[in-house]
Amino acid sequence: MDEVRMVRDGYPEPAPPTARAIARAKALLDEPSRRSTPRLRWGLTGALAAAAAATVAITLAGGNTVVGGNAPGGGSTVARPSSLNLDAKGAVLAAAEKAEQQPTGKYWYIDQIDGQSYIMRPKTGTYAITGAHSEMFSWWGAKSGMGEGHYGRDLPAHPLTAQDAALWRKDGSPSSFRVWSGDHYYTYTAKAQKWQMDGPERGTDPRGGGGGFVGAPGMSVEDLQNLPTDPAKLAERFLSDEALTKRMNPKGTREGGHEGMRLPPSVKISMAGALAMDPVPPKVRAGLMRALADQPGIHAIGRDTDPLERKGVALASDDRATTVTGEYGGPKAEQGTYRSRTVIVFDERTGAVLSVQEELTKPGGPYAEMKPGFVINYIAYRSAGWTDAKPKPSAELPFS
């Protein structure tokens, strides 16, 4: 016992593991089973792994038991937990670890859907539809000369959720929707449109990736490959007030009135979401997620659902108030004040961005009948990733 006391006095308790270390431990535990357990290739020491295991609550289906043994390859195996009780931010950081592990290929593509919610108020019951609804499909070659391609189509207006669909059917399943949009009435229909291609298949730039990116305009695919992976450097380059102000006013003139502005956290979420959908390397995408999670005014909120009913882990901005007036002749039902926040949802399995969406936090104005969490507008990514075959858009609609 004296020897044990001497060791304890000479070597104090190790510091608790960081959120990133815990996320890495979770990512490792979530990896598919192999013939033998890998030797923690990213350098997590046995002591740190033990500390992480002691800090993170591991819940097994049969109780709080860890089973050990000898693997055929000589390594020891540990029964994979059914879940890890990470906090909300830890879950996002674990998703960033997954993003870092994703493969690359010859072509990057994104299938993006955007929509705006409108409220229908028939006597049979209030429900929401998605209008101003379009889908864009783009691909870029990984190197200059491989080209790029861009497609677009308008999507049919349709009820937002299953509950809305039930009330829409109760309303007689109308195929057109007259809504107040901005400063005038507009009618959206349930008619689908075929894909239209923007120019020849070589894309807007035959060299590949020259200015077609939303998050990094003017950069080539090769430029994106050389971006830093360090979260602090990415935050300074893309998420700082200075960087975002320059983005809003690239010519540096005073007419924009943006100099010295402190931009809201919602802008940072939108910027990060756009950049994450450009053909950046997996480590850059992971670094961007970590940078965003550390920004002031942005909070991890746990799990959330995107407009395509996919579940993921999310970050959200502070909420803010919006007041709709009757200045442009809008109907009284559309007037008033509501509060909302911008949310970005990540796939837990891959770290991919599922959506960037505006969510209601306090009902009022045009959304007085809706509940908190209602999606006001969104950009959802139906799919995105690297592939070795030249990508083509799907003929099927993203919803039934």
Side-chain angles (χ1 to χ4, degrees):
M1 297 299 293
D2 290 338
E3 290 83 353
V4 173
R5 189 175 295 108
M6 288 173 62
V7 171
R8 286 179 174 172
D9 291 341
Y11 298 92
E13 289 293 324
T18 64
R20 184 175 177 185
I22 295 172
R24 280 186 149 182
K26 180 183 184 299
L28 179 66
L29 288 168
D30 281 347
E31 286 182 1
S33 301
R34 296 184 176 88
R35 291 181 182 175
S36 61
T37 302
R39 295 181 178 176
L40 309 187
R41 289 168 293 175
W42 31 260
L44 185 66
T45 64
L48 182 56
T55 304
V56 183
I58 302 179
T59 306
L60 297 175
N64 298 326
T65 306
V66 176
V67 181
N70 292 323
S76 73
T77 60
V78 178
R80 293 179 64 214
S82 59
S83 65
L84 279 169
N85 294 329
L86 294 179
D87 62 13
K89 185 174 180 179
V92 172
L93 295 178
E97 290 293 330
K98 295 293 187 181
E100 194 167 1
Q101 298 166 12
Q102 296 307 303
T104 59
K106 295 180 180 178
Y107 300 93
W108 172 262
Y109 74 95
I110 60 171
D111 191 339
Q112 171 184 317
I113 303 164
D114 57 85
Q116 170 75 42
S117 297
Y118 296 96
I119 310 304
M120 310 304 297
R121 300 179 176 90
K123 293 180 180 180
T124 51
T126 299
Y127 61 93
I129 65 145
T130 296
H133 207 203
S134 62
E135 184 173 12
M136 290 174 284
F137 185 95
S138 298
W139 63 262
W140 295 268
K143 296 180 181 179
S144 293
M146 294 178 67
E148 60 187 82
H150 305 279
Y151 305 75
R153 64 177 175 179
D154 289 336
L155 296 174
H158 67 97
L160 186 61
T161 67
Q163 182 178 359
D164 293 315
L167 288 165
W168 167 70
R169 287 190 291 270
K170 194 173 181 181
D171 186 31
S173 304
S175 58
S176 64
F177 308 92
R178 187 171 183 263
V179 302
W180 180 259
S181 180
D183 60 357
H184 64 284
Y185 279 103
Y186 191 87
T187 299
Y188 292 105
T189 70
K191 185 178 180 181
Q193 187 187 60
K194 294 182 179 180
W195 284 108
Q196 302 292 321
M197 187 163 189
D198 183 12
E201 187 166 292
R202 68 176 184 273
T204 57
D205 187 341
R207 297 171 301 172
F213 306 126
V214 177
M219 298 181 72
S220 69
V221 174
E222 281 108 336
D223 292 334
L224 297 180
Q225 307 311 303
N226 295 320
L227 288 176
T229 60
D230 178 68
K233 292 181 179 178
L234 287 167
E236 181 180 1
R237 182 162 181 177
F238 293 102
L239 303 179
S240 66
D241 287 333
E242 182 180 357
L244 290 168
T245 299
K246 186 176 181 181
R247 172 77 182 274
M248 295 170 68
N249 190 15
K251 294 182 179 179
T253 61
R254 294 187 177 181
E255 290 124 12
H258 302 306
E259 293 75 15
M261 258 182 96
R262 291 190 63 83
L263 297 171
S266 57
V267 175
K268 297 184 178 183
I269 288 180
S270 297
M271 178 63 189
L275 184 59
M277 287 295 98
D278 288 342
V280 298
K283 289 186 177 181
V284 174
R285 188 169 292 106
L288 190 65
M289 293 171 66
R290 295 172 185 133
L292 187 62
D294 283 337
Q295 291 297 302
I298 294 176
H299 318 280
I301 59 170
R303 285 170 173 78
D304 203 347
T305 304
D306 81 343
L308 298 182
E309 300 185 349
R310 301 171 298 184
K311 296 186 182 298
V313 293
L315 297 171
S317 68
D318 291 334
D319 74 345
R320 58 200 177 280
T322 300
T323 299
V324 180
T325 68
E327 180 180 0
Y328 297 105
K332 191 173 182 180
E334 297 286 325
Q335 299 174 29
T337 300
Y338 65 91
R339 298 188 69 86
S340 64
R341 64 184 180 182
T342 302
V343 178
I344 184 168
V345 185
F346 300 99
D347 189 326
E348 287 182 273
R349 301 165 301 168
T350 65
V353 179
L354 296 179
S355 68
V356 176
Q357 55 201 46
E358 193 70 13
E359 288 186 3
L360 188 68
T361 56
K362 185 177 180 180
Y367 311 111
E369 304 97 330
M370 301 295 105
K371 296 179 180 179
F374 171 76
V375 177
I376 297 171
N377 58 62
Y378 65 87
I379 297 175
Y381 297 96
R382 184 180 182 183
S383 61
W386 289 99
T387 177
D388 286 333
K390 188 175 290 186
K392 293 183 179 180
S394 172
E396 296 180 0
L397 292 175
F399 45 82
S400 57

